[in-house]
Every structure is written in C-alpha cells, then in structure tokens.
C-alpha cells in the first residue's frame, strides 16, 4: 500500500462528472494510488465506473475536482481485446514499440518477452481470429505490459470470458502485478474477482456514483488460486457484497 504522502501515480480529488445531456455520472470521487497499489472498483451498472476510468485516462474531462496523473506511461485494457485483425499477435504487441519509434530488433525482443510472460509462446504468428477469446485477451494484456506502464487501467477486461478462462486470467494478472508493480485501477462487476486481485476494493453507490466504502485486502502476492475457497476470502467477499447491496 502507498504510505500517506508517498509516491502517488494517480490522484483524484472531489471529482464530479456531469454530461452535456444532464446525466450526473459521478459525484465527489477522491482516490489515490501509487506503485504496488491494485485498486478495484465495484458498483451497480451505470454508476459511473467506465466514466471514472475514462477520466483517469484523460479521455473525458471532469466537471469539478482535480485529476493528477504522474505516470510516464499509462496502459488501458478494455472489455474486448481491441486487436488489429490484420496483424499477427506479435505485430499487435509490437505496435507499441512502433509508435514509440523503437528499432525493429528492440520492439521484436520486447514483444516476445511480453508474449512469453502471458503464456503465448508459440502463438506469435497467429492472427486474432485464429485465437480463442482468452488468448486474445492475453495478447491485449501483453500489449498493455510491453508499454511498461506506471499506471494500468482495466475496464472489465475479463467480462466476456467463460468462468474457467476468467479465473485463469485473474491468476495470471496478479502474478504479473507482483512482477511489474504498476499502479492498477481495475473495474469489475465480480466481487470475487475484485477481492482476489486487489490491495483495496472501492464500492460505489448507484448513479450518481460516489465511493461509499474502501475495503482493504490483506494478502500478499502471488495469491494461490485456492485462496478463493477459504473462509477468510468468503468473509471479505461477503462484506463487499453486503456493502454493495446497501447502496445499489
Ligand atoms: N458520453 C456520454 N454522454 C452522456 N451520458 C453518458 C456518457 N457516457 C456515459 N453516460 C452516462 O453516465 C452514466 C454512467 O455510465 P458508465 O458507462 O460510466 O457506467 P458504468 O458504471 O461503467 O456501467 P456498466 O457497469 O454498465 O459498464 C450512465 O447513466 C450513462 O448513460
Ligand atoms: Mg462500464
């Protein structure tokens, strides 16, 4: 966890968002995270979670409050893998290096390392349509990691995956987090996903969304998949679900 006054990668203070249509999506949201923080956000559909992430990434502007991003590089992982269909897995990941003007040798090497890290060794030359949904999401994660992000934003990246693949991806992601120690902000509808992945769960109320509870998660990384079957885990997911139920 970040110490008070320590390095902060992302700080939101009193952030509100009102769209020109009149919809108030967020009111008075404050949060801060730094390296080694993996914060998940759960809340009812339409409470402003994606809006929160879009504000943090600079895709939207807040109507009130301040947003301070102190990351040299930020990665954004969406619900669908958003890959370029005409490029192989490797060339999708290399795109990041291309945009940064890295040499061909350098970007190839870094793309290969990232693909190895997400368990796609041997699939480099396959095109997205030749990969399963889980593998496409792995390519998407590799593309996010190859940027060496200081801040990683995730908007329900595993929402479209089947349950078994989803649990696998959660296990992979927290291993990667342990290695890379970026500051992570992760949106999900799944309470158990939130608890398994994060250092802290933020619970949001129904629209207009505000943060109604901050629930710290105590376990070190890497986390064994079987953690999900322990009484401590059930107690914490129960607490998050209860809070969510009170405010939706
Ligand atoms: N560009 C926009 N213009 C107007 N209203 C918007 C815009 N984007 C989002 N909204 C509204 O803001 C509210 C919050 O939307 P948002 O997508 O942030 O919710 P969410 O919590 O991510 O929902 P879900 O869990 O279903 O993904 C909704 O009422 C939505 O209709
Ligand atoms: Mg959303």
């Amino acid at each position: 966890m970040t110490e008070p006054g320590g390095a902060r990668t992302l700080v939101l203070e009193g952030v509100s968002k009102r769209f020109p249509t009149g919809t108030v999506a967020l009111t008075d949201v404050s949060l801060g995270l730094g390296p080694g923080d993996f914060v998940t956000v759960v809340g009812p559909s339409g409470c402003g979670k994606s809006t929160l992430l879009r504000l943090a990434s600079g895709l939207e502007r807040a109507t009130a409050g301040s947003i301070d991003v102190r990351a040299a590089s930020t990665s954004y992982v969406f619900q669908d893998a958003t890959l370029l269909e005409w490029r192989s897995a490797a060339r999708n990941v290399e795109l990041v290096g291309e945009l940064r003007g890295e040499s061909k040798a350098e970007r190839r090497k870094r793309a290969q390392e990232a693909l190895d890290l997400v368990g796609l060794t041997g699939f480099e030359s396959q095109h997205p349509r030749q990969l399963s949904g889980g593998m496409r999401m792995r390519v998407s994660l590799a593309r996010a990691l190859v940027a060496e992000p200081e801040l990683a934003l995730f908007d329900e990246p595993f929402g479209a995956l089947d349950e078994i693949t989803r649990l696998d991806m959660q296990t992979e992601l927290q291993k990667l987090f342990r290695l890379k120690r970026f500051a992570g902000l992760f949106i999900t509808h799944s309470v158990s996903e939130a608890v398994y992945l994060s250092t802290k769960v933020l619970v949001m109320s129904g629209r207009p969304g505000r943060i109604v509870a901050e629930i710290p998660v105590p376990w070190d990384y890497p986390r064994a998949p079987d953690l999900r079957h322990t009484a401590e885990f059930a107690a914490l997911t129960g607490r998050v679900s209860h809070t969510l139920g009170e405010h939706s």
Side-chain angles (χ1 to χ4, degrees):
M1 300 291 289
T2 317
E3 299 300 322
R8 292 290 174 124
T9 311
L10 172 68
V11 180
L12 273 70
E13 272 171 27
V15 169
S16 297
K17 175 67 182 179
R18 184 177 193 277
F19 285 105
T21 52
T23 303
V24 180
L26 290 173
T27 44
D28 196 21
V29 170
S30 298
L31 62 90
L33 58 146
D37 289 332
F38 197 111
V39 173
T40 50
V41 180
V42 293
S45 186
C47 75
K49 302 182 297 297
S50 294
T51 302
L52 175 65
L53 222 60
R54 292 171 62 80
L55 287 166
S57 72
L59 286 168
E60 291 285 354
R61 296 194 62 126
T63 4
S66 67
I67 299 173
D68 191 4
V69 181
R70 297 170 204 162
S73 127
T74 301
S75 289
Y76 201 134
V77 184
F78 299 90
Q79 172 158 356
D80 47 356
T82 62
L83 303 175
L84 301 176
E85 294 295 332
W86 61 91
R87 284 183 161 235
S88 67
R91 299 253 296 129
N92 264 282
V93 179
E94 281 175 39
L95 186 61
V96 176
E98 275 172 51
L99 295 173
R100 288 182 174 179
E102 288 171 8
S103 72
K104 199 167 189 171
E106 174 69 9
R107 65 189 193 234
R108 283 222 167 130
K109 177 171 150 281
R110 285 167 29 83
Q112 186 64 53
E113 281 167 6
L115 286 163
D116 291 345
L117 216 49
V118 299
L120 282 180
T121 314
F123 292 91
E124 300 82 0
S125 61
Q126 306 280 305
H127 281 67
R129 65 174 178 280
Q130 300 169 309
L131 300 172
S132 70
M135 291 161 101
R136 292 166 63 96
M137 186 44 75
R138 284 174 197 270
V139 177
S140 188
L141 276 184
R143 189 181 52 190
L145 290 170
V146 84
E148 296 283 342
E150 287 176 10
L151 176 64
L153 306 170
F154 303 89
D155 194 354
E156 300 200 54
F158 307 149
L161 303 177
D162 65 86
E163 183 67 10
I164 293 169
T165 309
R166 184 172 191 157
L167 297 180
D168 277 352
M169 294 301 295
Q170 291 169 11
T171 305
E172 292 294 325
L173 179 58
Q174 55 85 36
K175 280 191 202 157
L176 293 170
F177 173 67
R178 175 170 174 257
L179 283 176
K180 300 291 181 184
R181 294 312 246 193
F182 45 77
L185 186 61
F186 188 104
I187 307 295
T188 178
H189 273 109
S190 160
V191 171
S192 84
E193 180 165 278
V195 170
Y196 179 70
L197 286 177
S198 67
T199 54
K200 184 159 74 181
V201 182
L202 304 180
V203 180
M204 281 178 69
S205 69
R207 195 177 58 240
R210 59 196 174 86
I211 295 168
V212 291
E214 291 194 24
I215 301 177
V217 181
W219 306 293
D220 288 338
Y221 299 87
R223 295 178 178 173
D226 277 348
L227 172 66
R228 300 185 185 94
H229 306 129
T230 62
E232 297 92 316
F233 190 84
L236 209 48
T237 54
R239 206 177 133 200
V240 174
S241 297
H242 180 76
T243 311
L244 205 49
E246 280 184 322
H247 295 277
S248 42

